[in-house]
């Protein structure tokens, strides 16, 4: 039997025969490439995922307000300074022993931001012109320096970036062109998450072109499968890494490899932890950490009934469900191994309605005005149910969370608000050290300060609005360029 006959039989078994509707419109080379493309897709697995996603959605839909309880959180700002310093010391010690790696969830494109490249490459609009990738790479270097200052040992924080089919090559090229922003290239690793076919509302896979199936990344929860299948778990173990900080690429304030968070998790023998912020607006697009039928879970904002999301405490000062998830996680490598080898197959699948370009019934390429597609995704937080020792760690929004989700037109969770929040935070650092700032604030280079330390030199000085404070080394590099 020919390859084409094999594919026809498989598609018929999976109720996807329509994918060959335009076969005769293709030339010989297109047919050859399309056949190879179809053979690369596991249609039986795709069909299984569709049915599992339907079942998971129905199961989730059964959960009522009565099944949910707020979760206990540990609030960082309520702890004494001595305790925070103890955690920081532990975290820096683990960093100095090369036991910590960072994974950036960098599969997202800047489409919603109005930009045709990966989010991490998008211009942020901050005075220095640095991108999200550069800010995060420089925070890693600053932290390595702080660890060496404390322990006297040279430190390595390994940097991994999980890309997607759409972002991988551009991200790789961008990092190479920018010499990995000062990081040793041997300490930077890129790996791709998996792609999943897109379905219409009835479970039929969509054609994006007459000879191409529409696919999309499998969500940030695709991390676990990608780690296993692309050898990243083995790589982490070979390097001696024990702890991993995972965060989304689009948070301009993220404390990369936060030593306090890591130290807290290590001291308490936590295998899985996540940071949350206090959610004050029930409509804010953040999921919340809850107890659902006595199990810790995260309920996405789209899955939480509006009346439940708006419930107020007895004092009416706080939302009942206010532990806002910001996609900021701690995992032990042993926990990641368990998830990838034992539980990944069981992870919940989520269905989201999207608009994708597709081939219409007449063979024309169309972009519908309303959602025409179901994308199936895994979410990274769904692994928390498998944790033996779990931490919910509440941090301050102003110092740790300002995401870039939308274009500046929206005026919310965009580069304009991210810039505002970054400058305001850095202004507070300067003023806490005895300096003064004109206007909305200044920018402090991550190479100069990780979270406001090392700024004694600003005492008694006044800085202009949007001024950039940098290290002597950065200044010498700028002088050479000019």
């Amino acid at each position: 039997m020919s390859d084409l006959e094999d594919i026809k039989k498989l598609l018929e078994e999976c109720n996807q025969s329509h994918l060959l509707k335009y076969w005769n419109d293709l030339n010989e080379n297109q047919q050859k490439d399309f056949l190879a493309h179809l053979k690369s897709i596991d249609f039986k697995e795709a069909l299984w995922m569709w049915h599992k996603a339907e079942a998971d959605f129905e199961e989730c839909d059964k959960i009522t307000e009565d099944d949910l309880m707020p979760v206990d959180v540990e609030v960082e700002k309520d702890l004494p300074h001595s305790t925070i310093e103890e955690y920081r010391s532990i975290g820096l010690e683990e960093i100095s022993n090369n036991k910590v790696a960072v994974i950036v969830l960098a599969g997202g494109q800047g489409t919603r931001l109005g930009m045709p490249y990966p989010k991490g490459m998008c211009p942020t609009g901050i005075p220095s012109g640095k991108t999200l990738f550069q800010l995060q790479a420089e925070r890693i270097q600053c932290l390595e320096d702080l660890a060496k200052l404390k322990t006297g040992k040279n430190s390595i924080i390994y940097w991994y970036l999980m890309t997607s089919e759409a972002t991988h090559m551009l991200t790789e090229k961008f990092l190479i062109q920018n010499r990995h922003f000062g990081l040793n290239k041997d300490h930077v690793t890129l790996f791709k998450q998996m792609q999943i076919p897109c379905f219409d509302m009835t479970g039929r896979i969509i054609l994006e072109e007459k000879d191409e199936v529409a696919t999309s990344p499998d969500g940030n929860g695709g991390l676990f499968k990608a780690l296993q299948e692309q050898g990243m778990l083995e790589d982490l173990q070979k390097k001696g890494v024990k702890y991993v900080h995972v965060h989304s690429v689009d948070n301009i304030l993220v404390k990369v490899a936060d030593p306090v968070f890591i130290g807290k998790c290590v001291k308490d023998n936590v295998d899985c932890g996540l940071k949350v912020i206090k959610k004050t607006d029930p409509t804010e697009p953040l999921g919340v950490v809850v107890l659902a039928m006595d199990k810790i879970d995260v309920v996405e904002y789209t899955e939480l009934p509006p009346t439940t999301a708006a419930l107020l405490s007895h004092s009416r000062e706080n939302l009942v469900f206010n532990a806002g998830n910001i996609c900021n996680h701690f995992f032990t490598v042993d926990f990641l191994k368990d998830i990838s080898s034992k539980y990944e197959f069981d992870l919940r699948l989520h269905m989201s309605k999207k608009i994708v370009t597709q081939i219409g019934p007449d063979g024309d390429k169309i972009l519908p005005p309303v959602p025409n597609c179901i994308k199936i995704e895994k979410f990274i937080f769904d692994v928390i149910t498998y944790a033996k020792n779990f931490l919910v760690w509440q941090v301050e929004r102003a110092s740790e969370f300002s995401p870039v989700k939308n274009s500046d037109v929206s005026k919310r969770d965009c580069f304009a608000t991210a810039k505002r929040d970054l400058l305001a935070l850095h202004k507070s650092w300067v003023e806490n050290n005895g300096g003064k700032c004109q206007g909305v604030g200044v920018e402090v280079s991550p190479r100069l300060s990780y979270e406001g330390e090392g700024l004694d030199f600003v005492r008694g000085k006044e800085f202009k609005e949007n001024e950039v404070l940098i290290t002597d080394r950065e200044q010498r590099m700028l002088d050479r360029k000019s």
Side-chain angles (χ1 to χ4, degrees), residues 313-352:
S313 62
H314 291 302
S315 66
R316 306 194 69 78
E317 294 178 353
N318 299 307
L319 295 172
V320 170
F321 298 103
N322 65 16
N325 176 39
I326 58 174
C327 195
N328 193 313
H329 297 261
F330 168 93
F331 299 114
T332 64
V333 171
D334 285 341
F335 181 74
L336 291 174
K337 284 167 54 183
D338 278 349
I339 294 297
S340 299
S341 62
K342 299 177 184 177
Y343 305 116
E344 198 278 332
F345 191 75
D346 297 323
L347 291 181
R348 188 186 310 164
L349 298 178
H350 300 260
M351 307 174 80
S352 58

Side-chain angles (χ1 to χ4, degrees), residues 283-303:
T283 66
E284 183 178 12
L286 288 180
V288 290
V289 187
V290 300
L291 282 175
M293 295 184 286
D294 297 324
K295 290 184 179 181
I296 292 180
D297 200 358
V298 176
V299 180
E300 269 291 79
Y301 67 95
T302 55
E303 298 169 353

